[in-house]
Amino acid sequence: MPEADVIRLAQRGDPSAFERLYRMHSRRVYSLCLRMVGNTAEAEDLTQEAFLQLFRKISSFRGESAFSTWLHRLSVNVVLMKLRKKRMPETSLEETTEPDEESGGPRRDFGTPDLQLSGSVDRVNLQRAIEQLPPGYKAIFVLHDVQGYEHNEIADIMGCSIGNSKSQLHKARMRLRELLHETLRDQAREQRQAVKSEAAGEG
Amino acid sequence: MPAMQCNEFMDSIDLWLDGDRQPAAAAHLHSCAACQSLLADLETICSAATDLSDVDPPPRVWAAIRAQLEAEGLIARHDRWAWLPSFGTGWMRPAIAGALLAILAAGGFELGGWWRNNSIHNQWVNGNQAATAPIAADLGNFELHAVSALHEPNPAVNVAFKQNLEIVDNYIAECEKSVQDNPEDELSRDYLYGAYQQKADLLEQMSERGENQR
């Protein structure tokens, strides 16, 4: 059955249509939540909240935008609200391109990283780094680089301009690079200390 | 034309990552180790990001949503038993129908008014599992059939089915504990029936898959 028909049935309160819509979109929504909060229990709660809001408002859906875009906009808003309640650093989507306000430190785009990320970044490291991004950066990075949305779709979902989506993605990637280099440096330091401790133990 | 500088390359690096590779940027990259390193890092990040594949939410999420929608009156309360007769395929149906009749007869269940049955209600209040033991036992038998009928050549699919069964079983255990702790709580009971339904759905998928692989 085409999605438009399922939506119409859901708008009339058909329980199986609700479930069908959930089955069609829950994987994407849950993954978005999971990547943004990095915690399965919270991701489940947020997925539940997003779908409840969706079903409560479904009668107002008029099809001006794609249903998936509407649902993702709603989901992103649910997650951002949650993250902001947790008092994580806030990021305006329309902020300027000043680099320091995100990292809170000096700009370190060139030269500073001393290790190559290639071959050293696994899913766990990346997920941890994503969790440390400010909410606005996180949402755009997850939507674009993890879930594969185009900038025009992200602009619809996030309610920002395409240029702003591009700029936020650039800054998110640069901040992730810094965070991952910090992780690598920490790991290298720990390894050196472990070697020293081992040598001291042998001596 | 002056050569591109590092800051200009950085401004255009996202275009480069998107495949828009200008000759000036290529020339700069060729001669600049710092920008080569930056580009390699960003390519690593983008590649790792695509490895963060989508995952399905656990069955309890839909059970919780449905329970809330029912509580808010957005959808009608589902018939808790509607799923049982449809469970299974072909060869399994007579066994399931028989099992369902046996459950209904043994427990004195009353469709649509199940929780008004005092003896069942008292069983919950007394904190024992007799109320759902027949369902659990029959689902256990169906599970044996579904697992043995699964002739799945792809080991990853087998592993996924087993993992999902484990997840659903854990969920059922959680829900049973919740109902025992709060026997009067209708929502807890709905969750439990949702959990049983999830298991029935999963077993149905497994048996269908088994049928198709024959």
Side-chain angles (χ1 to χ4, degrees):
Chain A
M1 185 186 293
E3 187 179 69
D5 293 345
V6 181
I7 292 167
R8 269 192 291 279
L9 286 173
Q11 287 175 325
R12 288 186 217 138
D14 182 328
S16 64
F18 282 100
E19 181 163 2
R20 192 175 287 199
L21 286 174
Y22 175 81
R23 303 276 173 228
M24 289 162 87
H25 296 282
S26 59
R27 185 180 172 86
R28 210 84 169 119
V29 169
Y30 176 68
S31 301
L32 171 76
C33 296
L34 183 60
R35 297 308 168 206
M36 285 187 68
V37 297
N39 171 310
T40 53
E42 279 187 60
E44 287 172 26
D45 287 346
L46 292 167
T47 302
Q48 186 180 331
E49 182 56 31
F51 275 97
L52 283 172
Q53 286 197 19
L54 171 85
F55 293 143
R56 286 174 190 140
K57 294 177 181 174
I58 197 160
S59 58
S60 68
F61 179 69
R62 296 280 173 262
E64 288 94 354
S65 60
F67 182 76
S68 63
T69 302
W70 190 57
L71 172 57
H72 266 71
R73 186 184 306 143
L74 209 149
S75 307
V76 168
N77 284 338
V78 166
V79 178
L80 290 178
M81 287 288 285
K82 169 80 176 180
L83 292 175
R84 282 168 184 157
K85 276 185 193 162
K86 285 169 78 176
R87 294 174 181 276
M88 291 184 71
E90 289 198 29
T91 310
S92 160
L93 281 175
E94 297 300 333
E95 69 185 358
T96 63
T97 53
E98 290 300 317
D100 295 353
E101 62 196 343
E102 280 304 327
S103 62
R107 186 172 182 165
R108 294 184 300 174
D109 292 332
F110 293 96
T112 308
D114 48 1
L115 297 163
Q116 285 282 327
L117 292 182
S118 178
S120 312
V121 178
D122 58 23
R123 286 188 207 180
V124 176
N125 282 345
L126 181 61
Q127 180 62 51
R128 283 186 186 149
I130 291 171
E131 285 162 31
Q132 294 177 61
L133 288 176
Y137 287 9
K138 196 184 302 190
I140 287 179
F141 180 80
V142 170
L143 287 168
H144 189 278
D145 281 3
V146 178
Q147 297 207 307
Y149 284 95
E150 299 294 335
H151 285 293
N152 61 328
E153 296 172 299
I154 295 171
D156 280 347
I157 291 169
M158 301 289 292
C160 64
S161 66
I162 291 175
N164 192 251
S165 172
K166 288 180 178 175
S167 147
Q168 296 276 317
L169 177 66
H170 177 78
K171 286 189 279 184
R173 286 170 172 170
M174 298 304 288
R175 180 70 186 125
L176 277 176
R177 183 183 186 229
E178 286 179 16
L179 290 165
L180 288 165
H181 275 290
E182 282 168 18
T183 303
L184 285 189
R185 279 194 290 270
D186 289 346
Q187 287 172 349
R189 194 178 307 120
E190 281 167 16
Q191 280 172 1
R192 283 197 300 274
Q193 283 172 348
V195 169
K196 272 186 196 170
S197 303
E198 204 173 305
E202 286 173 0
Chain B
M1 184 176 156
M4 182 179 268
Q5 300 300 305
C6 288
N7 59 340
E8 293 169 299
F9 179 78
M10 197 173 90
D11 288 342
S12 66
I13 199 163
D14 295 295
L15 291 174
W16 183 281
L17 288 167
D18 287 341
D20 183 359
R21 298 176 177 184
Q22 299 293 320
H28 175 78
L29 193 60
H30 185 69
S31 62
C32 179
C35 287
Q36 285 172 19
S37 171
L38 171 67
L39 178 64
D41 283 352
L42 294 187
E43 283 174 339
T44 299
I45 290 168
C46 293
S47 168
T50 59
D51 288 342
L52 293 174
S53 52
D54 283 353
V55 283
D56 282 318
R60 60 177 165 265
V61 176
W62 170 247
I65 292 169
R66 187 180 55 200
Q68 184 62 31
L69 292 173
E70 286 176 358
E72 293 179 20
L74 289 171
I75 59 173
R77 287 194 175 274
H78 67 287
D79 177 353
R80 293 187 177 91
W81 298 98
W83 49 275
L84 266 176
S86 66
F87 168 70
T89 57
W91 57 276
M92 205 181 260
R93 279 209 178 94
I96 295 165
L100 176 60
L101 283 174
I103 293 168
L104 294 171
F109 294 118
E110 178 193 349
L111 285 174
W114 193 77
W115 287 107
R116 288 193 292 277
N117 179 313
N118 285 337
S119 70
I120 300 301
H121 179 79
N122 289 339
Q123 285 175 0
W124 282 121
V125 174
N126 292 333
N128 67 53
Q129 292 182 307
T132 53
I135 305 172
D138 281 303
L139 277 178
N141 288 333
F142 303 154
E143 179 177 343
L144 287 177
H145 285 296
V147 170
S148 62
L150 188 62
H151 306 289
E152 176 56 55
N154 183 348
V157 175
N158 276 325
V159 169
F161 272 131
K162 282 176 185 163
Q163 284 175 342
N164 286 337
L165 264 180
E166 198 178 320
I167 289 167
V168 175
D169 283 340
N170 287 337
Y171 179 45
I172 288 173
E174 281 175 29
C175 292
E176 279 178 340
K177 185 175 182 313
S178 175
V179 172
Q180 284 183 20
D181 291 344
N182 307 287
E184 306 282 353
D185 180 12
E186 192 177 350
L187 188 60
S188 296
R189 299 195 299 251
D190 276 345
Y191 281 132
L192 177 57
Y193 279 90
Y196 280 128
Q197 182 170 353
Q198 294 289 345
K199 182 160 182 176
D201 290 344
L202 181 60
L203 293 176
E204 185 175 22
Q205 280 179 27
M206 288 171 71
S207 58
E208 274 177 3
R209 187 121 188 160
E211 288 283 300
N212 293 336
Q213 297 294 342
R214 278 185 172 185

